C-alpha cells in the first residue's frame, strides 16, 4: 500500500472515530472529554490530508501539517485528562504546537533533519504523556483501560523510532517528511493506534454507562425501599403504621399472630392542652418505647394517641397487660414535668388458632369495641375476649363467646 493511501486511510479512520465520539457525546453531554476528542481527530485528519498535498503543491508550507499534528496530540492530551476527570490547561495544548511552528521559522535556519527529529520528539513526548495519563487513571478490571494506555505507548515508541532515524541521518534529509521505507510502517502503526485507541475509549465509555445505569438502578431501588419503609413507619414514634400492618395482616395471622390489642391514652387531650404538643409528642414516643415491640409482639401507631398490638404465642393477654401497665411508668420517667399520671385503656381480642379469612378491619372493629368498654368502665384497664365462633361470615362478625 503506497504512502498516500495510508495517509488517506489514517484520515478516514480519524473521521470515523470522530463520529463515534460524537455519538458518545450525544449520550453523555456532561462529559467535556468528547468535544476535545472530536476536535483532536478533526485536526489530525486535516494534518494527514495536508501531508499528501503540501509537499507537491507548496513545500514551504510544511509548517502547517506538522503544527496541526502536534496540536491534534495536544487536544488528545486534553481529552485524556478530561476523560479521567483530571485538571487541564490550554497552555499544554497550544504551547507545543507554537514551538513546532517556530522550528520552521527562517531565523532559526534549522536543517530538515533537525526539524524532523524535533517534531517527532515533541510527538513522542505527547504520546508518552498521554499513555502515562491513561495508565495512572486505569480502571481495575477493565482491559480497555490497559489497552488505551498501550495504544499510546506503541504510538510513542513509533515516534521515538522516527527521532532516532532523524538523528542518524541528520545531514541526508532534503525534505521535512522523507518518503523513505520506514514511513509506511509508521503510518500502519498510526492506523492501528487510531483504531485501537478509539475503540478502547468508546468501550470504556460504554462500561461507564453500564456501571452508571446499574448504580442508578440500585440507587433507585434503594430509594424505593426507603420510601416504602418510610411510608410504612410512623414519623413520630418509628412504629409501624396502619398501612404496614393492614397490608400484611393475613400473612401475620397465618404466622401465628392471633391476638390484637387496641389501646388509647386516657385523657390525652388534657396533656396537649396543658403542656403543649411538644410534651405530648414526647409522651407518645415514651408510649412507643413502653410497648416494646419484638419478634412476637408488633406495635402500630394508628394515629393520635391510639396504638395497636399484634401478639402471638402463649399468655398474650398477660403480655399485653404488662405493656399497658408499663406506659405510665415510662412516660413518668421519660417526660418529667407532666401533671398527673398518664394511663392507658386497652381492648384485647384473642382468635382461635387456625382461623383464617378474617379481615383486619373486622378484628379491629371488634377489638375497638372492647377498648370503649374499658373506657366506659372507668379507664386505666384492660377488657378482653376470646373469639371462638363466627355465626356469620367474618366480614360481619358480631357474635362472640367470651
Amino acid at each position: 500500500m503506497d504512502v498516500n493511501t495510508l495517509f488517506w486511510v489514517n484520515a478516514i479512520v480519524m473521521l470515523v472515530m470522530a463520529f463515534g465520539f460524537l455519538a458518545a457525546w450525544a449520550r453523555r453531554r456532561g462529559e467535556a472529554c468528547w468535544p476535545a476528542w472530536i476536535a483532536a481527530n478533526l485536526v489530525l485528519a486535516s494534518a494527514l490530508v495536508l501531508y499528501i498535498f503540501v509537499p507537491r503543491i507548496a513545500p514551504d508550507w510544511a509548517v502547517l501539517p506538522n503544527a496541526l499534528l502536534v496540536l491534534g496530540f495536544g487536544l488528545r492530551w486534553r481529552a485524556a485528562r478530561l476523560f479521567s476527570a483530571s485538571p487541564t490547561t490550554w497552555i499544554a495544548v497550544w504551547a507545543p504546537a507554537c514551538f513546532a511552528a517556530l522550528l520552521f521559522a527562517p531565523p532559526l535556519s534549522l536543517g530538515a533533519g533537525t526539524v524532523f527529529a524535533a517534531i517527532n520528539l515533541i510527538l513522542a513526548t505527547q504520546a508518552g504523556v498521554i499513555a502515562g495519563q491513561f495508565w495512572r487513571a486505569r480502571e481495575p478490571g477493565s482491559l480497555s483501560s490497559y489497552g488505551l494506555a498501550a495504544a499510546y505507548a506503541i504510538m510513542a515508541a513509533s515516534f521515538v523510532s522516527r527521532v532516532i532515524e532523524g538523528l542518524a541521518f541528520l545531514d541526508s534529509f532534503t525534505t521535512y517528511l522523507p518518503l523513505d521505507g520506514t514511513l509506511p510502517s509508521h503510518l500502519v502503526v498510526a492506523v492501528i493506534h487510531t483504531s485501537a485507541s478509539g475503540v478502547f475509549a468508546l468501550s470504556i465509555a460504554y462500561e461507564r454507562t453500564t456501571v452508571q445505569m446499574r448504580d442508578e438502578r440500585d440507587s433507585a431501588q434503594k430509594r424505593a425501599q426507603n420510601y416504602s419503609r418510610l411510608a410504612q413507619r410512623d414519623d413520630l414514634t418509628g412504629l409501624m403504621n396502619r398501612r404496614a400492618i393492614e397490608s400484611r395482616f393475613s400473612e401475620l395471622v397465618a404466622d401465628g399472630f392471633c391476638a390484637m390489642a387496641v389501646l388509647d391514652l386516657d385523657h390525652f387531650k388534657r396533656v396537649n392542652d396543658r403542656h403543649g404538643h411538644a410534651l405530648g409528642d414526647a409522651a407518645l414516643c415514651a408510649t412507643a418505647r413502653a410497648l416494646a415491640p419484638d419478634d412476637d409482639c408488633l406495635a402500630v401507631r394508628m394515629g393520635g394517641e391510639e396504638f395497636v398490638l399484634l401478639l402471638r404465642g402463649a399468655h398474650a393477654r398477660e403480655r399485653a397487660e404488662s405493656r399497658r401497665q408499663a406506659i405510665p411508668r415510662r412516660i413518668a420517667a421519660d417526660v418529667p414535668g407532666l401533671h398527673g399520671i398518664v394511663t392507658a385503656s386497652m381492648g384485647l381480642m384473642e382468635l382461635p388458632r387456625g382461623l383464617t379469612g378474617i379481615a383486619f378491619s373486622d378484628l379491629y372493629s371488634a377489638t375497638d369495641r372492647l377498648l370503649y368498654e374499658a373506657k366506659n368502665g372507668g379507664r386505666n384497664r384492660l377488657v378482653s375476649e376470646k373469639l371462638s365462633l363466627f355465626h356469620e361470615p367474618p366480614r360481619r362478625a358480631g357474635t362472640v363467646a367470651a
Side-chain angles (χ1 to χ4, degrees):
M1 191 177 293
D2 64 88
V3 170
N4 285 345
T5 301
L6 286 171
F7 273 124
W8 278 114
V9 170
N10 271 282
I12 291 170
V13 172
M14 289 282 184
L15 293 175
V16 170
M17 287 301 167
F19 279 108
F21 297 150
L22 181 62
W25 186 35
R27 288 191 171 190
R28 304 173 68 88
R29 286 285 185 176
E31 296 184 354
C33 63
W34 300 114
W37 235 319
I38 294 167
N41 275 30
L42 293 177
V43 170
L44 289 171
S46 301
L48 292 168
V49 172
L50 288 174
Y51 272 123
I52 299 172
F53 295 106
V54 166
R56 292 201 310 265
I57 300 173
D60 293 340
W61 285 83
V63 59
L64 192 55
N66 283 281
L68 285 176
L69 192 66
V70 174
L71 177 60
F73 270 86
L75 287 167
R76 282 197 169 183
W77 171 83
R78 177 175 173 80
R81 296 284 291 179
L82 294 171
F83 193 68
S84 55
S86 301
T88 183
T89 172
W90 283 106
I91 295 176
V93 176
W94 287 102
C98 293
F99 180 73
L102 286 175
L103 293 174
F104 292 84
L108 295 179
S109 300
L110 297 176
T114 302
V115 173
F116 175 82
I119 292 293
N120 280 280
L121 180 60
I122 295 171
L123 292 167
T125 302
Q126 288 177 308
V129 169
I130 297 171
Q133 174 64 33
F134 282 124
W135 177 258
R136 289 191 300 273
R138 65 190 183 279
E139 299 175 6
S142 173
L143 293 178
S144 297
S145 295
Y146 292 91
L148 199 53
Y152 279 94
I154 292 171
M155 196 69 237
S158 184
F159 283 127
V160 168
S161 71
R162 301 290 278 172
V163 174
I164 295 172
E165 179 185 358
L167 294 175
F169 303 100
L170 197 63
D171 298 329
S172 62
F173 277 68
T174 58
T175 65
Y176 294 116
L177 182 66
L179 301 178
D180 54 15
T182 62
L183 181 56
S185 299
H186 179 70
L187 291 174
V188 169
V189 171
V191 172
I192 297 172
H193 157 77
T194 302
S195 304
S197 61
V199 169
F200 287 137
L202 292 173
S203 175
I204 293 173
Y206 172 78
E207 291 169 2
R208 288 180 177 179
T209 300
T210 302
V211 170
Q212 182 181 1
M213 291 175 63
R214 186 184 66 227
D215 290 345
E216 289 176 353
R217 180 202 64 200
D218 293 344
S219 178
Q221 289 178 345
K222 187 174 181 179
R223 286 197 303 272
Q225 290 171 356
N226 288 337
Y227 292 151
S228 177
R229 179 180 60 80
L230 291 173
Q232 296 186 356
R233 291 285 174 180
D234 174 57
D235 289 340
L236 178 63
T237 64
L239 297 179
M240 289 187 290
N241 57 26
R242 177 168 182 160
R243 178 187 299 176
I245 207 74
E246 195 166 8
S247 63
R248 299 172 51 204
F249 183 67
S250 297
E251 174 189 341
L252 292 170
V253 171
D255 203 27
F257 285 89
C258 297
M260 175 184 283
V262 179
L263 67 96
D264 189 274
L265 298 181
D266 298 325
H267 302 298
F268 189 70
K269 186 175 183 300
R270 296 178 186 173
V271 175
N272 283 328
D273 292 344
R274 179 176 294 181
H275 301 286
H277 287 280
L279 278 184
D281 287 348
L284 292 172
C285 292
T287 301
R289 290 189 287 272
L291 295 179
D294 56 34
D295 290 342
D296 295 318
C297 178
L298 303 180
V300 183
R301 185 186 177 202
M302 298 294 286
E305 65 271 24
E306 186 174 298
F307 297 82
V308 163
L309 296 178
L310 283 181
L311 304 101
R312 66 178 171 187
H315 311 295
R317 185 184 187 283
E318 289 77 5
R319 289 187 285 128
E321 174 64 4
S322 175
R323 285 171 167 81
R324 187 191 70 81
Q325 292 182 10
I327 291 172
R329 297 192 298 271
R330 191 60 186 254
I331 293 177
D334 293 357
V335 191
L338 292 178
H339 295 285
I341 299 174
V342 179
T343 60
S345 301
M346 177 182 286
L348 182 138
M349 182 72 74
E350 295 184 72
L351 302 176
R353 287 186 174 276
L355 178 66
T356 60
I358 187 168
F360 175 86
S361 57
D362 291 333
L363 184 58
Y364 173 75
S365 296
T367 310
D368 192 51
R369 175 180 56 80
L370 299 177
L371 167 63
Y372 277 93
E373 287 185 21
K375 291 272 191 183
N376 293 331
R379 293 184 168 83
N380 190 23
R381 65 191 60 217
L382 167 66
V383 174
S384 66
E385 285 186 7
K386 290 186 178 181
L387 184 65
S388 59
L389 179 65
F390 277 109
H391 291 296
E392 293 182 331
R395 196 167 287 278
R396 297 196 304 273
T399 304
V400 296

